[in-house]
Amino acid sequence: MNLNNFFRKRVNRLKEVKLQLKYYSFFKHSFSAKQLCISMIDGRFSHGGLSDRLKGAISLYAYCKATGHEFRLCFSSPFNMIDYLQPNTYDWRIKEDEIINHSYWDVRVMIQTCEYKGERLFNLKTTKQLHYYNNQNIIDRINERYGTKYTYGELFNELFSPVPYLQQLIDHHILLIGQQYIASVFRFQQLLGDFQEYDFPIMDEHERKVLMQLCREAIIKLLLKYPGFKCLVTSDSTTFLNYISDINNVYVLPGKVVHMDVTQTAAYSIYMKSFLDLYMIAGAKEVYCIGTKAMYPSEFPLYAAKIRNIPFHRILI
């Protein structure tokens, strides 16, 4: 047995008990006769960034499809998902007669963060409403277990489509780019000192200049491989985006992004930028995540590429 997985399960079970004791009532008051499986993204503990949150929700949806359960999504922190993405072919909104049940006796809370195999979910035997916390992609495990052939992109597109305003933004920038494009993504965390993110290191001024120049050269080199293409560049660092915006055939989306686990009170437009980045990356011909060993190997571009099953590459510079 993998000891890390064993202890992770124990830790998560303790978290489940603590969560139910803290937030759930001891009075029995069921709201719905249907058993629901609800993906919970409510800010009660760390969920990770946008791609982590979507991985967990989409994994539970895959489980529900395979087992015939009803799926719902409670994405309420740090914003309501319905303000950015709306249901597509499956309605994941919680309806009035399905009000989330806050009774300790009628709810099963399950936390599966950092549990990569999903056995506890697969072996769950309960008629209670399931409140599920997860930020892992277990779709392949679900396919193995239930003989299904789900893909992340297929499931994402069944669940979500852009709200009209987001679609207008996507159409506007596609029109401005005006031709085929590739996408390159740079995840610095707080190396360049743009914002605070947990306790990650900040480089001194000389180190920042060296790092940005390395990344700039990587973009220029990448563009040489794609004559006739533009390169959409996205990053968590506005400092870097300003630094490379003068490169010929580079396209930069306006605005800044924040980490959703760290910044809880950003403006609507700032959170919207994350979804715009997601769909614009997904619309590229190919996607690259570029960085040095000091930078974070983000999964955001990987999962953006999965939305439309386009090629994804990592470049270590």
Side-chain angles (χ1 to χ4, degrees):
M1 176 183 291
N2 185 311
L3 286 179
N4 285 335
N5 197 49
F6 174 82
F7 287 116
R8 174 52 60 185
K9 288 179 183 178
R10 293 293 183 270
V11 169
N12 281 343
R13 284 172 181 162
L14 289 173
K15 288 181 180 178
E16 290 163 7
V17 172
K18 182 179 178 181
L19 198 65
Q20 287 198 255
L21 289 173
K22 183 175 182 179
Y23 291 106
Y24 292 81
S25 150
F26 281 90
F27 295 99
K28 189 175 178 65
H29 50 85
S30 297
F31 289 101
S32 173
K34 294 185 293 186
Q35 183 185 10
L36 300 179
C37 297
I38 305 175
S39 177
M40 302 293 290
I41 304 170
D42 57 4
R44 287 180 174 172
F45 70 101
S46 176
H47 299 284
L50 180 58
S51 60
D52 291 330
R53 295 162 188 244
L54 291 173
K55 282 187 289 183
I58 292 169
S59 291
L60 182 62
Y61 175 57
Y63 167 79
C64 289
K65 282 194 72 169
T67 58
H69 287 85
E70 292 274 347
F71 169 80
R72 298 292 184 268
L73 173 59
C74 175
F75 195 132
S76 59
S77 176
F79 51 78
N80 288 315
M81 175 65 92
I82 198 65
D83 293 332
Y84 300 87
L85 299 183
Q86 60 192 359
N88 194 11
T89 63
Y90 185 95
D91 191 353
W92 40 263
R93 294 171 296 181
I94 298 170
K95 303 166 183 63
E96 273 193 39
D97 64 342
E98 300 170 344
I99 295 172
I100 296 178
N101 189 337
H102 287 287
S103 167
Y104 181 93
W105 307 107
D106 300 318
V107 170
R108 171 67 167 91
V109 173
M110 178 172 284
I111 299 171
Q112 283 208 295
T113 55
C114 299
E115 290 183 44
Y116 301 97
K117 296 184 178 180
E119 291 101 332
R120 288 202 299 134
L121 177 64
F122 304 152
N123 297 327
L124 182 65
K125 292 179 174 62
T126 184
T127 58
K128 296 180 179 182
Q129 190 175 93
L130 176 65
H131 290 188
Y132 185 69
Y133 293 83
N134 180 32
N135 56 15
Q136 307 295 320
N137 177 2
I138 59 170
I139 296 170
D140 287 344
R141 300 290 297 178
I142 290 167
N143 287 336
E144 291 172 11
R145 177 77 177 224
Y146 299 103
T148 51
K149 296 182 179 179
Y150 302 137
T151 66
Y152 180 89
E154 163 201 354
L155 299 168
F156 178 96
N157 289 300
E158 287 178 11
L159 287 176
F160 304 116
S161 64
V163 296
Y165 177 61
L166 174 56
Q167 188 61 58
Q168 290 173 14
L169 289 175
I170 295 166
D171 294 341
H172 171 72
H173 288 289
I174 292 291
L175 186 64
L176 287 181
I177 290 176
Q179 61 196 71
Q180 285 190 313
Y181 64 94
I182 55 172
S184 58
V185 179
F186 297 81
R187 179 79 161 91
F188 293 94
Q189 294 177 313
Q190 61 182 22
L191 289 174
L192 303 184
D194 291 76
F195 54 84
Q196 183 175 356
E197 183 175 338
Y198 304 119
D199 57 353
F200 294 117
I202 300 176
M203 288 181 162
D204 63 35
E205 186 175 353
H206 173 71
E207 289 173 323
R208 294 179 204 179
K209 288 180 178 178
V210 171
L211 179 58
M212 287 196 296
Q213 183 60 32
L214 281 171
C215 293
R216 181 186 176 94
E217 291 168 2
I219 294 170
I220 295 169
K221 184 177 179 181
L222 184 62
L223 275 166
L224 292 175
K225 293 175 58 179
Y226 293 89
F229 280 69
K230 284 192 176 179
C231 181
L232 170 71
V233 180
T234 70
S235 176
D236 56 348
S237 170
T238 52
T239 299
F240 177 70
L241 292 178
N242 291 334
Y243 179 71
I244 56 86
S245 61
D246 65 328
I247 300 174
N248 192 34
N249 287 327
V250 158
Y251 190 85
V252 173
L253 298 166
K256 68 175 184 177
V257 296
V258 294
H259 193 284
M260 293 176 185
D261 247 6
V262 178
T263 304
Q264 299 290 313
T265 57
Y268 173 77
S269 60
I270 290 178
Y271 292 128
M272 181 63 81
K273 175 64 161 52
S274 294
F275 291 97
L276 178 60
D277 283 358
L278 183 73
Y279 274 94
M280 290 299 294
I281 293 167
K285 187 74 173 178
E286 299 197 26
V287 178
Y288 290 82
C289 184
I290 303 174
T292 66
K293 289 182 179 180
M295 293 167 63
Y296 184 69
S298 174
E299 290 197 333
F300 185 86
L302 168 63
Y303 280 88
K306 287 179 181 289
I307 291 174
R308 292 179 182 159
N309 195 30
I310 56 178
F312 172 79
H313 315 274
R314 287 197 186 276
I315 297 179
L316 183 65
I317 55 175

